[in-house]
Amino acid sequence: MASKHITASVTEQNETMQRYYVLQSKIYDLTRWTFLFGRRAVIRQLPLDPGKAHRILEVGCGTGYNLRLLARRFPKAHLTGLDVSTHMIEKATKATKPFAQRVQLEERPYALGDTQYLEQFDAVLFSYSLTMINPQWEELIRQAKADLKPGGIIAVADFFDSRFRWFKTHMGNNHVRMDGHLLPLLEQEFTTLSHSVKPAYGGVWDYFVHLGRKV
Ligand SMILES: C[S@@+](CC[C@H](N)C(=O)[O-])C[C@H]1O[C@@H](n2cnc3c(N)ncnc32)[C@H](O)[C@@H]1O
């Protein structure tokens, strides 16, 4: 019974994302720089050697914005970008063309129990994807832990919380859960290397950047 429920909610979440990004993919890069703060910072703070051929996974890579930053910052790294939205993967394919030899894109949902990448990655990045992965965000944090090599890095930039109910409702209407719910589990599952919570637009909401290590 429980697994049927989980399967139904996974399917529902995936379909919601597919629908939402049909239109949003077209305006995504034009609009998101105005409110998805911390994306550059999380990549800048990744404690990996740019001279090494690290393997990095981005879950929910969207239009490929972060994959391009990662490709430039880590010129020898092999990058995997995974996204459930066909339209976002199309954008990412174009955006990462100059790095195509070391960027692999996969159009599929990230899911608990996937054994394809066990202990293969030096870092897993979630940038503004976890707050949209409801209710299975806990499962995906655990899957990322399984897919990291021992000592690997989890890097997360995302919305943290807001003191304004109207804003949380607005974000909820856009499939974002903003409840301060991610950090406690990240801190429980990984050894914290750094984290910061910062206000956006004078405190309408807070966003966070968290880096942790799998021990
Ligand atoms: C707000 S966008 C973030 C895109 C990019 N990471 C960024 O920082 O600009 C969230 C992305 O997560 C993807 N996504 C949502 N649920 C997913 C899932 N279960 N598996 C893989 N990707 C998912 C969406 O399709 C969307 O492209």
Side-chain angles (χ1 to χ4, degrees):
M1 197 65 186
S3 69
K4 265 192 185 165
H5 171 72
I6 288 166
T7 305
S9 45
V10 168
T11 307
E12 193 182 321
Q13 191 267 344
N14 295 172
E15 288 174 355
T16 302
M17 292 297 110
Q18 277 285 13
R19 279 196 305 273
Y20 184 67
Y21 283 108
V22 172
L23 171 64
Q24 293 295 324
S25 62
K26 295 181 180 29
I27 56 169
Y28 192 90
D29 287 330
L30 284 172
T31 53
R32 270 26 180 212
W33 63 272
T34 61
F35 60 96
L36 299 188
F37 302 125
R39 292 187 295 173
R40 285 179 179 274
V42 75
I43 289 170
R44 211 173 37 239
Q45 290 172 28
L46 264 178
L48 297 176
D49 180 350
K52 290 198 175 155
H54 290 298
R55 290 197 63 189
I56 304 174
L57 168 68
E58 183 181 8
V59 178
C61 64
T63 58
Y65 175 89
N66 298 313
L67 291 172
R68 280 161 61 104
L69 294 177
L70 286 166
R72 291 196 194 108
R73 163 115 213 267
F74 301 105
K76 297 196 169 159
H78 296 273
L79 309 175
T80 302
L82 201 147
D83 202 289
V84 71
S85 157
T86 312
H87 289 79
M88 292 301 247
I89 284 286
E90 276 172 13
K91 293 273 180 194
T93 303
K94 284 187 192 138
T96 58
K97 215 168 184 175
F99 311 103
Q101 283 185 331
R102 54 195 183 89
V103 176
Q104 179 187 340
L105 294 171
E106 293 184 33
E107 183 193 323
R108 67 178 173 91
Y110 195 52
L112 184 67
D114 194 336
T115 53
Q116 183 176 345
Y117 289 129
L118 287 182
E119 299 206 338
Q120 289 198 20
F121 292 105
D122 298 285
V124 175
L125 170 64
F126 288 96
S127 165
Y128 287 92
S129 51
L130 276 175
T131 47
M132 295 190 88
I133 301 178
N134 299 304
Q136 51 287 60
W137 53 274
E138 286 188 77
E139 295 176 3
L140 267 57
I141 289 173
R142 297 213 160 89
Q143 182 66 35
K145 190 173 181 181
D147 289 342
L148 281 168
K149 296 175 185 172
I153 306 294
I154 184 132
V156 183
D158 215 322
F159 297 110
F160 180 64
D161 209 345
S162 171
R163 60 200 154 103
F164 298 108
R165 186 171 292 277
W166 63 266
F167 189 72
K168 287 176 158 250
T169 303
H170 165 70
M171 295 308 284
N173 291 337
N174 286 279
H175 314 294
V176 173
R177 177 176 170 194
M178 205 187 251
D179 260 341
H181 57 295
L182 299 174
L183 262 182
L185 185 64
L186 289 166
E187 287 176 338
Q188 180 190 306
E189 291 292 324
F190 300 92
T191 301
T192 300
L193 298 176
S194 67
H195 89 229
S196 59
V197 178
K198 291 189 175 165
Y201 292 110
V204 176
W205 73 89
D206 290 335
Y207 66 95
F208 75 95
V209 171
H210 173 93
L211 287 116
R213 191 182 293 283
K214 172 176 168 178
V215 284

